[in-house]
Amino acid sequence: MQGETSRGGPAAGVCWDLSDLYAGRDDPALEADLDRALAEARGFAERTRGRIARLDAATLARAVDAYESLQEPLVRAAAYAQLLFAADTSVPSHGALLQRVQERGTEIRNTLLFFELEWVALEPQRAEALLADPALARRRHLLTALRRYRPHVLSEPEERILAETANTGRHAFARLFDELMAGMKFRVTRSGETRELGEEEVLALLYAPERMQRRSGARALSKGLREHARTLAFIFNTLLHDKALDDRLRGYPLPIAARNLANEIDTARVESLLSACVARYPLVARYYRLKARLLGLERLEDYDRYAPIAEHSAARSFDEARHIVLGAYADFSPRMAEIAGRFFDARWIDAELREGKRGGAFCAATLPSLHPYVLLSYTGNLRDVMTVAHELGHGVHQALAARQGLFEQDTPLTTAETASVFGEMLVFRRLMREERDPKVRLALLCGKLEDAFATVFRQVAMTRFEEALHTARRAEGELPIERINALWMDANRPMFGDSVHLSEDYAWWWLYIPHFVHSPFYCYAYAFGELLVLSLLRRYDEEGEAFVPRYLALLEAGGSDTPEALLARMGLDIGDPAFWDGGLAVLEEMVAEAEALAG
Ligand SMILES: [Zn+2]
């Protein structure tokens, strides 16, 4: 369709088929969908605006149904534009389509803004009477969840202005960050030859077996970031201030409060998760001391953390990855393997390496009546096999939760990583079961531990950093870079103790983390997800087969109730401060196992 692109890698030819959405980017059905969504939104507004307070339960239920289904054409168009752009960001018409769909989306959403605001404004007594009515039973959680925002929403004109000016404010600065990072070049010199690497490539050097390579990767990363530090720090300072303004206007008491509300979890429970992890920081130092010994080093430098501890095994073909992942899934549940298998058979996966393709990996839900799509760049190493397992976990979760409909198929961030992390653990356990060579077993175990530490402790340290950062900006005004560097080091040092030497270079490494820019306080959700999965696996080990249907029911429930309520059905109490220690204890056992294997 567009110009020649270089294609390849072990998954050459594995690209997705988007024709379930539209025939192509010129398909007239796409424009027609956007027109229809706007026309229906206007019609809905004419019929419903100003009347929510007077609707009876049955009429309100029908209005919510209409509100949901009229958004489906927009969701279809938006999903297509995003997928097309991700598959090849270098085609200008892909970026233009994405921008167009976003702008029309804002218009449609602004037309519909009144609906949620009127519902949220309803007197508590009236709302409770409606919610108690059986006619609204299916929408009870959705409507209750919306009313959490009652103390924090503004008037409709104010909300409209904030939504529109965000396109030239917050969203614009976030896009500037993305474009700056995507275009940033890092110069690495090796045997007299200097190469310019992108961010993904320079970060990949931290996994290199040769120490010199890791060190030059770390140096190049720091140097590149330092060169752009003024602009990046300005973006950070602006966004910190923007969030402080938003929190003040909406009356959020703490920087983390808005995120916790969106995650349907209260601040005390988040704090018990964070402090349980901080209390186990010594486990991190204990592991890195073992790792130093395995690498034959006196002490690790920051760039040694991801060094492989064994020779790289041979690259695995994409077919092997498929076989490993589906096999591990089938051991647990044939139904889960069957759902995951469809992604390969029906071409819902884009896995080949391709110029212009977006970095990283994701699983994107489309419409509940359709299916998700998975994107990754498969190079054949074990981390890529784990990525396939991870994204297909999301895929299975989304497919199972599709019955909840557009509004309730997605979970909050905290439980969004349940099936993905669970899927990775199933693959890890199968590989460990099949591997006899103790050296390879040790390497597998260390790889898993390092992933888990990056998901649990590192994210907790990053959350502590964000708390300090937002608090400092509010108390001290615009922050000099050196001040932010110091906050970053203060948040990271306690985690490593004396086990890893953090160089002056490391002080700059907050500058490239996209979560701080795009979604403040996102990070603790990773720790939540990982520790939750370790607890679920422990249940599986105790209960055996009986666990499987209950786990699948948890996935099927999607976001139809709060994480706390859904997990309570599994017998898990995340309100108990001791809950998190269960998952942390599993990590400690894994460290002990690695120590034993190391001898
Ligand atoms: Zn994920």
Side-chain angles (χ1 to χ4, degrees):
M1 213 161 62
Q2 59 266 350
E4 286 300 301
T5 46
S6 63
R7 288 161 184 265
V14 180
C15 49
W16 56 32
D17 173 7
L18 298 181
S19 64
D20 286 341
L21 291 164
Y22 296 103
R25 70 172 186 271
D26 300 321
D27 187 343
L30 195 152
E31 271 309 311
D33 271 348
L34 290 171
D35 291 342
R36 184 154 63 94
L38 183 60
E40 287 187 11
R42 285 182 176 151
F44 178 78
E46 262 167 46
R47 289 192 306 276
T48 324
R49 196 186 176 86
R51 296 192 192 123
I52 303 296
R54 283 175 278 134
L55 298 183
D56 61 36
T59 320
L60 181 59
R62 279 197 300 278
V64 177
D65 289 346
Y67 179 64
E68 185 176 52
S69 65
L70 71 84
Q71 295 190 47
E72 296 211 344
L74 171 63
V75 172
R76 180 187 281 261
Y80 182 72
Q82 267 151 14
L83 294 170
L84 201 63
F85 182 73
D88 193 347
T89 58
S90 68
V91 180
S93 67
H94 291 181
L97 177 66
L98 187 63
Q99 186 64 26
R100 173 163 175 72
V101 172
Q102 274 167 358
E103 284 169 15
R104 298 215 52 192
T106 302
E107 192 183 3
I108 293 163
R109 274 189 296 276
N110 267 349
T111 309
L112 296 170
L113 201 55
F114 77 92
F115 185 67
E116 294 185 11
L117 290 175
E118 283 187 32
W119 164 250
V120 164
L122 214 60
E123 285 309 313
Q125 266 187 324
R126 173 86 188 116
E128 271 157 37
L130 284 166
L131 287 169
D133 194 300
L136 273 169
R138 195 176 102 65
R139 300 297 187 177
R140 194 165 292 143
H141 170 252
L142 175 76
L143 291 172
T144 308
L146 283 173
R147 286 184 63 84
R148 285 170 305 151
Y149 290 94
R150 189 171 154 83
H152 307 295
V153 292
L154 307 174
S155 70
E156 192 184 347
E158 289 169 326
E159 291 287 357
R160 273 169 182 263
I161 291 170
L162 286 180
E164 296 214 31
T165 52
N167 285 331
T168 51
R170 183 164 64 242
H171 300 330
F173 278 101
R175 180 163 160 200
L176 178 61
F177 173 85
D178 285 350
E179 295 199 356
L180 201 60
M181 288 309 304
M184 209 177 278
K185 291 292 172 211
F186 302 91
R187 283 179 299 281
V188 180
T189 306
R190 204 179 162 204
S191 28
E193 197 196 324
T194 301
R195 287 193 303 147
E196 290 206 326
L197 303 180
E199 185 197 344
E200 295 251 345
E201 294 166 294
V202 81
L203 287 172
L205 284 179
L206 300 177
Y207 293 83
E210 302 87 27
R211 197 175 201 206
M212 279 298 286
Q213 276 208 35
R214 297 196 298 271
R215 186 166 67 189
S216 56
R219 292 263 159 87
L221 177 65
S222 306
K223 194 160 177 293
L225 291 173
R226 267 206 308 270
E227 282 166 13
H228 294 88
R230 256 189 87 179
T231 314
L232 288 170
F234 183 77
I235 294 172
F236 268 77
N237 265 302
T238 303
L239 290 170
L240 290 171
H241 187 43
D242 180 85
K243 180 162 162 53
L245 288 178
D246 201 67
D247 284 350
R248 177 167 57 76
L249 291 172
R250 297 183 183 282
Y252 287 110
L254 293 168
I256 201 172
R259 173 67 62 201
N260 294 344
L261 192 71
N263 282 346
E264 301 185 61
I265 184 169
D266 68 53
T267 296
R269 279 167 175 49
V270 174
E271 186 46 44
S272 72
L273 161 68
L274 295 174
S275 45
C277 292
V278 170
R280 294 277 188 149
Y281 274 171
L283 191 58
V284 178
R286 179 175 153 192
Y287 172 73
Y288 281 121
R289 277 194 290 271
L290 169 67
K291 176 147 187 173
R293 185 156 68 81
L294 291 169
L295 293 174
L297 298 170
E298 189 69 29
R299 184 174 61 167
L300 297 186
E301 292 296 325
D302 45 47
Y303 51 76
D304 292 321
R305 286 169 299 151
Y306 303 113
I309 61 149
E311 303 294 297
H312 273 298
S313 53
R316 291 171 167 88
S317 72
F318 192 65
D319 248 3
E320 280 173 86
R322 170 195 176 130
H323 184 76
I324 292 168
V325 172
L326 294 184
Y329 274 32
D331 288 346
F332 177 74
S333 152
R335 181 165 166 229
M336 216 163 85
E338 189 262 317
I339 297 171
R342 279 184 233 156
F343 283 76
F344 296 94
D345 299 335
R347 295 182 52 208
W348 301 341
I349 306 180
D350 198 292
E352 67 177 7
L353 309 180
R354 210 166 50 226
E355 203 87 28
K357 181 168 165 175
R358 217 200 81 169
F362 63 74
C363 176
T366 57
L367 288 174
S369 54
L370 284 174
H371 54 80
Y373 283 98
V374 164
L375 177 140
L376 67 139
S377 292
Y378 187 80
T379 65
N381 63 35
L382 186 61
R383 276 164 58 218
D384 292 335
V385 177
M386 289 301 184
T387 302
V388 174
H390 181 102
E391 299 308 335
L392 285 176
H394 283 302
V396 167
H397 197 169
Q398 287 163 3
L400 286 172
R403 67 184 57 187
Q404 302 299 336
L406 185 62
F407 286 164
E408 294 186 276
Q409 69 171 351
D410 291 339
T411 69
L413 297 178
T414 44
T415 40
E417 298 295 336
T418 308
S420 54
V421 176
F422 196 87
E424 278 190 71
M425 285 302 290
L426 291 177
V427 169
F428 165 69
R429 285 173 152 212
R430 184 178 159 115
L431 292 172
M432 281 296 270
R433 261 201 316 275
E434 288 175 351
E435 187 58 60
R436 290 279 155 263
D437 183 342
K439 270 198 194 128
V440 182
R441 286 173 60 82
L442 179 59
L444 274 171
L445 184 56
C446 288
K448 188 75 227 165
L449 269 168
E450 286 164 26
D451 276 356
F453 281 9
T455 311
V456 176
F457 299 111
R458 182 163 184 265
Q459 305 297 328
V460 167
M462 295 210 283
T463 305
R464 288 300 196 216
F465 165 68
E466 272 190 298
E467 286 177 329
L469 181 63
H470 285 274
T471 305
R473 173 62 184 84
R474 289 167 195 209
E476 301 162 27
E478 188 160 305
L479 300 170
I481 298 171
E482 299 69 35
R483 173 79 173 120
I484 308 182
N485 286 356
L487 293 172
W488 173 250
M489 294 299 256
D490 288 348
N492 277 279
R493 269 198 209 96
M495 174 172 63
F496 294 113
D498 61 357
S499 66
V500 177
H501 174 247
L502 301 180
S503 65
E504 272 311 301
D505 277 353
Y506 192 77
W508 302 84
W509 287 21
W510 52 275
L511 279 164
Y512 73 91
I513 311 287
H515 298 74
F516 299 155
V517 168
H518 288 283
S519 14
F521 296 101
Y522 188 115
C523 293
Y524 76 78
Y526 291 115
F528 186 113
E530 180 87 23
L531 294 177
L532 170 61
V533 164
L534 293 173
S535 289
L536 286 170
L537 276 166
R538 178 150 282 187
R539 283 293 158 102
Y540 175 40
D541 293 338
E542 287 161 9
E543 297 170 16
E545 284 300 304
F547 172 87
V548 177
R550 301 205 300 130
Y551 174 72
L552 295 180
L554 173 71
L555 302 189
E556 276 167 1
S560 59
D561 208 337
T562 64
E564 190 158 352
L566 294 177
L567 292 168
R569 293 185 208 165
M570 303 284 294
L572 300 179
D573 178 12
I574 60 165
D576 177 1
F579 172 77
W580 306 107
D581 264 327
L584 289 162
V586 176
L587 290 179
E588 182 156 9
E589 286 163 22
M590 287 166 73
V591 172
E593 194 186 344
E595 286 168 339
L597 277 169

